[in-house]
Structure formats: structure tokens, C-alpha cells
Amino acid sequence: MVKLNQIVAIEKGERAASLRVMTEVHHKLKENMLNGLRRTYQPKDDEGEMLPGESTNVQTTVPVVLADVRVAVGEYLNVVATRDFGNCDLSARADVVVGDQVVIAQAPVSFLLTLEKELVSLHTMIAGLPTLDPAVSWTFDEQNESYRSDPVQTTRTKKVPKAFVKAEATDKHPAQVEMFTEDVIVGTWTNVRLSGAVSDSTRRELAARVVELQKAVKFAREQANGAEVERLKHGNAVMSYLLG
């Protein structure tokens, strides 16, 4: 149990923390922190030049980002729910129902209004989640909790000077030689892409959940607002006391 004044005291802090996490998530998703690369080189033969590879790690993943959002926004909504459920008219409430599941039982209108606003932000965030390139074959890497593409090989070439004899040498004239360059394969690069993104189907599933919950919250709000309440005249009592 907690006192109502304690909840009111921490509400602003939880709201600020929630907004801070949402801002951080936006930057993480925009700053290419979900992409990585493994690039290695193999010369064509033992005498070939050995080049250094390239390695870039995935700095975060969509599931990690969503876990942060789940905690921060969830804590804020917990505080708002505690305040609103403990400080409202019991008659102006309704269940939030998705399918056969009661997500929130007997939610007050004030909480439903806050939830509607949060769901708009969450829907915008989910709609912008990076997804895996559909043109690439991906495999989930359990160890790194991210995706890995199939290796793609590309050849490295080097221009090698060649001589073309246009006319052989004679006892009277030197050979006529024309120089040119030829691209010769000297090695192979192997590229493996890494990604912390999610599949397009996963993003669409998450977005669909938000939309369904938005509909349920709107319906519950309208239902709660339709409740019959007693018309009070406390204002008359206040003004009679003040002005007689």
C-alpha cells in the first residue's frame, strides 16, 4: 500500500523518466546503432598480400530498446493508475477489453485519457522501428541476440602491367611492344552483416497490438463517460457561504 500524496509527489519524476527513455530510444534507432559488420580477407595464394579485416559490433537491439520502454512507460502508467484509481468516482469506470482478455478492469476516465496519449507515442515509435532488409537472408544469433546475414563474397582485383607484342624483332627492327594493364583477381572479401533490427512481420504484429488496444481504450472511455452520475450542487454551497 502507498499513500496518495506519495504517488502525487513522484508522478512528475516518473513522467520525466519516461520521456527521457523515449527520447533516448529515438536517438538509438536513428544513429545506426543496430547495424554491425564482419569483413575478412583471404588472398588468392600464399604469396598474396594479407589485408586486415573489419569488425563493427551491434550496439543495441530492438528487443533491448523495447524492454527499456516497457519499464519506463510502465512505471509511469503504474503511478498514474494508482493516483486515478484511488481518487475517482467509482461509477465512471469501464473495462479495457481486447478480444476476450480484460487488460484493465474498471479503469477510470482520467487514467484512460492518459493511456490514450501514451499509446499514440508508442504507436509512432513502433511504426518507426528498423526492420531487416528483406533482400538478405538472415539467421538469428542466439549468443549475440541479434541477426546475422549469410556470407557474401566479393573479389579484390589488382591492375597488373602486361606487354603485347605487335611485331616480333628482326635483324633490322626491334620488336614493337604495347603496354597495357589487366585486372587480375588477387583475393576474396567475405562480408557478414549484423543487425539488431526485427522482421517486418514482428513490427506489423506490434503495431497491430497497439491499434487494437487504442480501440479498446477509446471504447472503454466512451463507455465510462456514459455512466450516470449524481448532479452535485457543491458550487452553490461554496458561493452561498462566500456571498450569502
Side-chain angles (χ1 to χ4, degrees), residues 130-143:
T131 56
L132 299 169
D133 186 348
V136 177
S137 178
W138 298 94
T139 303
F140 188 72
D141 186 341
E142 296 283 352
Q143 183 177 358

Side-chain angles (χ1 to χ4, degrees), residues 7 36 43 51 76 111 115 131 135 148 158 183 190 207 220 225 233:
I7 287 297
L51 300 179
Y76 168 62
F111 177 70
L115 183 54
T131 56
R148 176 185 297 268
K158 184 177 181 180
D183 290 331
T190 300
N225 277 328
K233 297 185 178 181

Side-chain angles (χ1 to χ4, degrees), residues 154-173:
T154 56
T155 57
R156 176 175 177 259
T157 61
K158 184 177 181 180
K159 292 189 179 297
V160 178
K162 296 284 186 178
F164 172 67
V165 180
K166 298 174 62 176
E168 297 290 342
T170 65
D171 56 350
K172 295 183 178 179
H173 301 284

Side-chain angles (χ1 to χ4, degrees), residues 26-162:
H26 175 75
H27 289 312
K28 287 179 180 178
L29 297 181
K30 294 296 183 182
E31 291 177 1
N32 209 30
M33 297 178 68
L34 280 75
N35 296 323
L37 178 68
R38 295 286 184 273
R39 193 166 186 251
T40 57
Y41 180 73
Q42 180 62 46
K44 185 178 180 180
D45 50 51
D46 295 338
E47 297 179 356
E49 179 184 10
M50 190 65 193
L51 300 179
E54 180 182 348
S55 178
T56 304
N57 293 326
V58 171
Q59 298 179 56
T60 190
T61 66
V62 167
V64 169
V65 165
L66 293 182
D68 292 340
V69 172
R70 179 177 179 176
V71 171
V73 178
E75 283 301 316
Y76 168 62
L77 291 176
N78 287 342
V79 170
V80 175
T82 303
R83 180 201 66 192
D84 292 346
F85 274 71
N87 188 26
C88 71
D89 184 353
L90 296 179
S91 61
R93 297 191 181 203
D95 293 340
V96 177
V97 183
V98 178
D100 297 328
Q101 180 182 358
V102 178
V103 180
I104 305 173
Q106 292 299 289
V109 173
S110 54
F111 177 70
L112 294 172
L113 289 170
T114 299
L115 183 54
E116 274 192 282
K117 293 179 182 178
E118 289 301 307
L119 288 175
V120 171
S121 297
L122 290 171
H123 185 268
T124 300
M125 181 203 68
I126 289 174
L129 290 177
T131 56
L132 299 169
D133 186 348
V136 177
S137 178
W138 298 94
T139 303
F140 188 72
D141 186 341
E142 296 283 352
Q143 183 177 358
N144 297 307
E145 297 184 345
S146 59
Y147 285 89
R148 176 185 297 268
S149 73
D150 289 345
V152 175
Q153 293 187 331
T154 56
T155 57
R156 176 175 177 259
T157 61
K158 184 177 181 180
K159 292 189 179 297
V160 178
K162 296 284 186 178

